[in-house]
Amino acid sequence: MKRLLLASLLISISFLNMGLVEKPKLEALVCAEKEKLKKMSFKQKWDPYKNFNFSYDKKTGKLYWYYESLNEINPVKKLKVLNNIYTYKGKIENNTLKVVMSLKTRYNKWPDLIFLVDLNEMQNTSFFVNTPDKKKYLPCEKLSFPKGIKINY
C-alpha cells in the first residue's frame, strides 16, 4: 500500500513540475562591422551564413539556429552543410557568451573558432584556437525575433 501511495505521489509531483518548468529565455544578436550593420536589412541580419548571429538562452548559453524557410528556431549542436559538419557549443560565463565552432570537412578538421561576446559591451572577439593572437573585434547588436516565429526548445 505504501509503495502505491509513494508511486502516486511521485507521479503527481512530476506532472506538477512539468507545468512549472520555465522555458528558456532566448535572446538573439548579430555581430558585424559597424557600417555593415547599419546597411543590413532585418532579413540579412538573421542570415547565419553571412554574419555571426545566434539565438541563445540567457542563463545557460545554449544555442539555437534560425531556419528562415520554416520561420522557426531549433536547438543547435551540429549542422551538416554539404560535406561539412559544423559543431557548436555555447555557454555564458561572467556575462560573456562563449561559442566554440568546430568544422570537419570530408578531408580534414579545422581548428576551432572561438567567439567571445561581451554582453555588456556588445562586442565580439573571435579567433582560431591555434592563433589566439590574431583576434578580430566586431560590434554586436541585439535582434528582435521575426514575426510569427516558432521556437522549439
Side-chain angles (χ1 to χ4, degrees):
M1 182 74 169
K2 286 183 182 180
R3 282 186 179 169
L4 186 59
L5 284 173
L6 182 61
S8 297
L9 179 64
L10 291 174
I11 290 170
S12 299
I13 290 171
S14 69
F15 278 117
L16 284 173
N17 281 338
M18 279 193 258
L20 299 176
V21 174
E22 249 183 81
K23 289 184 180 177
K25 292 191 179 177
L26 300 187
E27 284 193 348
L29 55 85
V30 60
C31 303
E33 286 133 14
K34 200 176 220 178
E35 290 305 311
K36 188 177 173 186
L37 273 175
K38 287 181 186 177
K39 294 178 183 178
M40 280 190 280
S41 68
F42 181 79
K43 185 176 179 176
Q44 290 169 327
K45 288 179 181 180
W46 272 99
D47 186 342
Y49 298 105
K50 292 185 180 179
N51 309 296
F52 169 70
N53 80 27
F54 268 108
S55 303
Y56 62 95
D57 180 334
K58 287 173 50 171
K59 286 184 183 176
T60 64
K62 180 179 176 181
L63 301 171
Y64 293 78
W65 190 268
Y66 176 60
Y67 295 91
E68 181 185 11
S69 61
L70 303 171
N71 196 30
E72 68 181 34
I73 290 180
N74 293 304
V76 65
K77 288 186 181 175
K78 204 176 266 195
L79 281 176
K80 188 169 183 182
V81 180
L82 301 173
N83 291 319
N84 301 323
I85 297 173
Y86 296 87
T87 306
Y88 297 93
K89 295 176 190 164
K91 65 181 176 179
I92 302 277
E93 289 179 346
N94 302 322
N95 214 32
T96 298
L97 173 63
K98 180 180 181 181
V99 176
V100 178
M101 183 187 82
S102 302
L103 170 60
K104 185 177 177 186
T105 66
R106 184 184 320 180
Y107 304 106
N108 59 8
K109 182 183 180 325
W110 292 85
D112 288 349
L113 181 57
I114 309 293
F115 299 93
L116 300 172
V117 181
D118 183 322
L119 298 171
N120 290 328
E121 300 294 323
M122 292 304 285
Q123 178 164 317
N124 175 36
T125 304
S126 60
F127 56 91
F128 287 97
V129 293
N130 63 336
T131 55
D133 55 321
K134 295 183 180 178
K135 293 182 172 138
K136 186 172 183 178
Y137 302 93
L138 294 172
C140 303
E141 67 180 42
K142 288 187 180 181
L143 285 172
S144 54
F145 290 96
K147 290 182 181 177
I149 194 165
K150 179 182 178 190
I151 299 175
N152 299 310
Y153 299 99

